[in-house]
Amino acid sequence: MKYSAGSASVSNMQYVDTHAHLFDEAFHDDFHDVVKRAENAGITRTLIITLKHEETMQAIAFADKDPEHYQIAAAIFPEDADKITDADYAQFEKDAALPQVSVLGEMGLEYHWVKDPGIRQLQRDLFVKQMELAKALNKPVAVHARDAMQDTYDLMKQVHPRGLLHCFCGTREMAKEFTKLGFFLALGGALTFKNARHSVEVVETVDEKWLLTETDCPYMAPEPVRGTRNEPANIPYILARMASVRNESVEHMADVVMANYERYLHG
């Protein structure tokens, strides 16, 4: 399958999606339509998350046509910590060093589905190894932390790369601790849900200079399209909710998030 990127947008607003699995099989049948809808919605910066070498190569071929609009992240997902071989990791190191790969992610800890203490330790070891690689390459990380917030904080504090917490679901107290270390917090569709107390409290209390928007598409579609396949074009729903919670204009929050994304990428 061939992909092509465009950069035109019919929207005056400029939005950022810091976590899009655009090369997930969910988008194979209508990839071009998904890209066009995002452009029409004003999504002018998109971080494409890739978790396999083949995905990374596809994303590079696509993003090379519009590198200002699309950035690429590559990493080994925590649930694969007990499956990767030395050869797999060596290939990842090569991919991570490519100039087209701006971010190492999503990496981190997944304790919700993984209960085995031994495998959790493998996850922690892999997380540290990838963060250290990111520091050596002077690239930021994108971190997955599910049911593992304290361990994630401890390891990020220990290694202290540049980075963001993807789909942040911790408390406002934990959010403040992460931002004290200079880590960004990305909020997605969950912010729009009726039971999103923690996410709302985080957006209310954290300094705006640490906030980012994401979809995590094709997962976690926001209200009012919850339950459908998510895609980057849904970012305006998330940003509007963020602006409402903070009692700011959408225009102000869009400018803030754009500036934050640039700082995240470039330090």
Side-chain angles (χ1 to χ4, degrees):
M1 181 178 183
K2 294 182 179 180
Y3 303 103
S4 61
S7 58
S9 172
V10 300
S11 171
N12 291 324
M13 295 288 295
Q14 294 192 349
Y15 298 93
V16 180
D17 186 351
T18 63
H19 202 99
H21 295 272
L22 274 186
F23 288 85
D24 187 276
E25 62 181 12
F27 297 121
H28 282 185
D29 291 340
D30 62 344
F31 182 90
H32 301 292
D33 293 336
V34 170
V35 167
K36 193 63 178 177
R37 282 192 292 271
E39 293 171 355
N40 290 341
I43 317 304
T44 59
R45 302 282 268 170
T46 305
L47 182 60
I48 302 172
I49 306 297
T50 67
L51 300 175
K52 293 181 175 62
H53 169 68
E54 294 75 17
E55 273 190 338
T56 305
M57 294 302 102
Q58 283 182 310
I60 287 174
F62 168 71
D64 271 351
K65 300 178 179 68
D66 192 357
E68 180 64 24
H69 185 152
Y70 296 99
Q71 290 71 54
I72 298 167
I76 299 171
F77 193 65
E79 283 189 83
D80 293 329
D82 62 330
K83 304 177 184 70
I84 62 164
T85 65
D86 290 343
D88 292 332
Y89 194 81
Q91 181 62 66
F92 164 64
E93 287 183 309
K94 292 178 182 178
D95 293 348
L98 292 171
Q100 298 97 325
V101 174
S102 301
V103 173
L104 271 56
E106 65 185 290
M107 63 177 71
L109 303 177
E110 171 54 72
Y111 288 0
H112 182 77
W113 299 113
V114 178
K115 309 299 183 184
D116 184 280
I119 298 179
R120 285 185 174 186
Q121 184 59 54
L122 289 176
Q123 288 189 14
R124 291 190 288 270
D125 293 343
L126 177 62
F127 185 23
V128 168
K129 193 175 181 181
Q130 291 184 93
M131 284 194 289
E132 289 175 341
L133 176 61
K135 286 190 71 174
L137 294 171
N138 192 29
K139 295 181 180 183
V141 298
V143 175
H144 173 104
R146 192 172 185 194
D147 292 352
M149 200 61 70
Q150 188 62 53
D151 281 0
T152 299
Y153 174 82
D154 292 342
L155 294 177
M156 291 183 75
K157 183 178 182 180
Q158 170 190 318
V159 181
H160 210 162
R162 297 192 347 256
L164 68 76
L165 276 296
H166 139 68
C167 196
F168 186 77
C169 56
T171 64
R172 59 186 173 187
E173 291 79 15
M174 186 59 79
K176 288 182 179 179
E177 293 306 311
F178 277 109
T179 59
K180 284 179 185 177
L181 296 175
F183 297 125
F184 293 86
L185 308 177
L187 285 297
L191 177 63
T192 69
F193 299 168
K194 291 179 181 178
N195 62 347
R197 180 173 65 87
H198 285 317
S199 295
V200 168
E201 288 177 350
V202 167
V203 171
E204 283 176 335
T205 58
V206 166
D207 191 308
E208 66 179 15
K209 70 181 182 180
W210 301 116
L211 295 175
L212 291 167
T213 51
E214 66 162 60
T215 57
D216 195 18
C217 64
Y219 317 105
M220 296 285 287
E223 297 289 357
V225 293
R226 186 176 183 181
T228 67
R229 183 193 66 176
N230 202 5
E231 58 183 73
N234 291 329
I235 279 286
Y237 295 124
I238 297 162
L239 189 96
R241 178 59 174 153
M242 186 178 284
S244 174
V245 167
R246 292 190 64 87
N247 196 29
E248 297 282 2
S249 69
V250 172
E251 291 79 7
H252 172 79
M253 286 310 307
D255 288 345
V256 166
V257 170
M258 185 66 71
N260 291 350
Y261 185 60
E262 291 299 326
R263 284 176 32 243
Y264 163 67
L265 288 178
H266 305 297

